[in-house]
Amino acid sequence: CSCPSSPIGTIRCVECHGSRLRCPACVVADHRFTPLHRLERWRKGRFVPVSLADLGHVHYLGHGGQSCPFADQSPTPHHKMIVAHVNGFHNISLGYCQCPTAPERFVQLLRARLFSSTLAQPKSAYTLQLLHHFRTLNLSTSITSYGYIKSLARTTDFLFPEESKLRYDGFRIVVRVWRELQLRLSSGFALGLESLLPAPYNVSMAYLCPACPNPGINFDPDAEFNEDKIHAQTLYLCKDANFRQWQLQKQLDPLDFHLHPGRMYFREESKYQEYIALAKDDTAVCNTFLVSTCSGFKAGNIYRSSKFKNAAVTGILSCMCARHGSFRPDATVDLQKGEKFLNGDYAFAGAVEFAGAVPCIVH
């Protein structure tokens, strides 16, 4: 090692410099603020994984990376925790701030960019970088949370990934809560922006089409209708269905609930189900017609497909802006069997209701 005492260097950090060997004391000092690096120790002719916690490293929260002055008064000054990062799972030793005015532990973790899996006595956490990374992969490659957690286990131990605790259930809940917090931040609701917006924008967190007329936002509803500028005062809507977004019937968690029902693009589920139960089913009417032989028209016969035999949702239908392709808030519904008029009417009604005082709507 290059330190003054010149001990034999046996440990390397694959994150910093893969060919530089250091002694345990220097490695711990170098990773004072980076506890999630991958280390390897030379042992019996080969490099084997080793954690910073095994070398005596403690990651202190607060006090500039130093131990809290009140830590000696605590029966457990150090806490073991499993942290998931983009390079796998890590077992670290954590030192919380024990000052009388110290915030709760989950707040200390969040300030250190660690999202705890529970609010009381957290035993595991996920880095914010990992949550951003998963969201990017989920939106661009459609990777599931289960697949992502399995890839982290494989990254931690390529040969024996099953030895890593997957913690899939905790990760799934953390992702939902974190995305909800990000949504509330991006929509301004976390900052009280809804109190400054007119209805219905004060109850919806959906992104608006910036070019379409939105009364009270980019369009004055009290302005006189001008036929010369009819294009700027007209909302053009269209509907389309996607039969690849389907879901099989499964046993749902009775304690599960929606975090923002009816405040984004989907219509409120309970009212929608009440409408489906009361509306007239047009399946009998469809059965009076012959099966379509057109290879490009699948909506009319989709409910006959064996693919959706045990499906609770056979697709989704959305009402969107026809000129710019932007989804309208509160105008997306689930489909049960094919693309029925009752589903499309309910989605269109939500789009019209949200449009408010737009003088002209073309559908």
Side-chain angles (χ1 to χ4, degrees), residues 139-195:
L139 295 177
S140 55
T141 66
S142 300
I143 188 174
T144 62
S145 56
Y146 182 72
Y148 187 78
I149 283 294
K150 289 190 66 176
S151 68
L152 289 181
R154 180 74 67 174
T155 303
T156 305
D157 193 334
F158 187 80
L159 296 179
F160 303 100
E162 63 277 359
E163 295 185 3
S164 297
K165 294 183 179 180
L166 292 180
R167 298 184 178 273
Y168 165 67
D169 292 334
F171 178 70
R172 180 169 51 88
I173 297 175
V174 165
V175 167
R176 284 190 61 188
V177 176
W178 180 79
R179 282 189 169 182
E180 178 70 14
L181 295 177
Q182 292 294 308
L183 174 62
R184 292 180 181 273
L185 283 174
S186 62
S187 63
F189 276 49
L191 308 175
L193 183 63
E194 69 276 9
S195 61

Side-chain angles (χ1 to χ4, degrees), residues 21 29 55 133 259 311 314-315 323:
L21 295 178
L55 302 179
H133 187 248
L259 297 179
T314 60
R323 291 194 294 179

Side-chain angles (χ1 to χ4, degrees), residues 10-86:
T10 58
I11 301 174
R12 68 179 182 181
C13 177
V14 297
E15 309 282 345
C16 299
H17 200 289
S19 61
R20 185 182 181 186
L21 295 178
R22 304 278 281 172
C23 66
C26 290
V27 169
V28 171
D30 293 342
H31 294 82
R32 179 179 172 186
F33 299 104
T34 54
L36 302 179
H37 280 193
R38 286 286 174 197
L39 305 180
E40 294 179 341
R41 167 179 278 170
W42 182 258
R43 178 182 296 173
K44 296 181 180 180
R46 65 189 183 97
F47 282 103
V48 295
V50 63
S51 66
L52 281 167
D54 296 335
L55 302 179
H57 178 272
V58 179
H59 185 55
Y60 294 104
L61 303 181
H63 301 281
Q66 300 290 339
S67 176
C68 177
F70 293 85
D72 297 336
Q73 303 177 11
S74 175
T76 54
H78 302 156
H79 301 265
K80 299 293 184 179
M81 175 171 286
I82 297 179
V83 177
H85 192 43
V86 292

Side-chain angles (χ1 to χ4, degrees), residues 206-209 240 265 316 318-321 325-329 331-332:
Y207 293 98
L208 300 176
C209 178
D240 197 11
Y265 299 99
I316 61 174
S318 297
C319 189
M320 65 200 76
C321 164
S326 178
F327 289 95
R328 297 296 300 175
T332 300

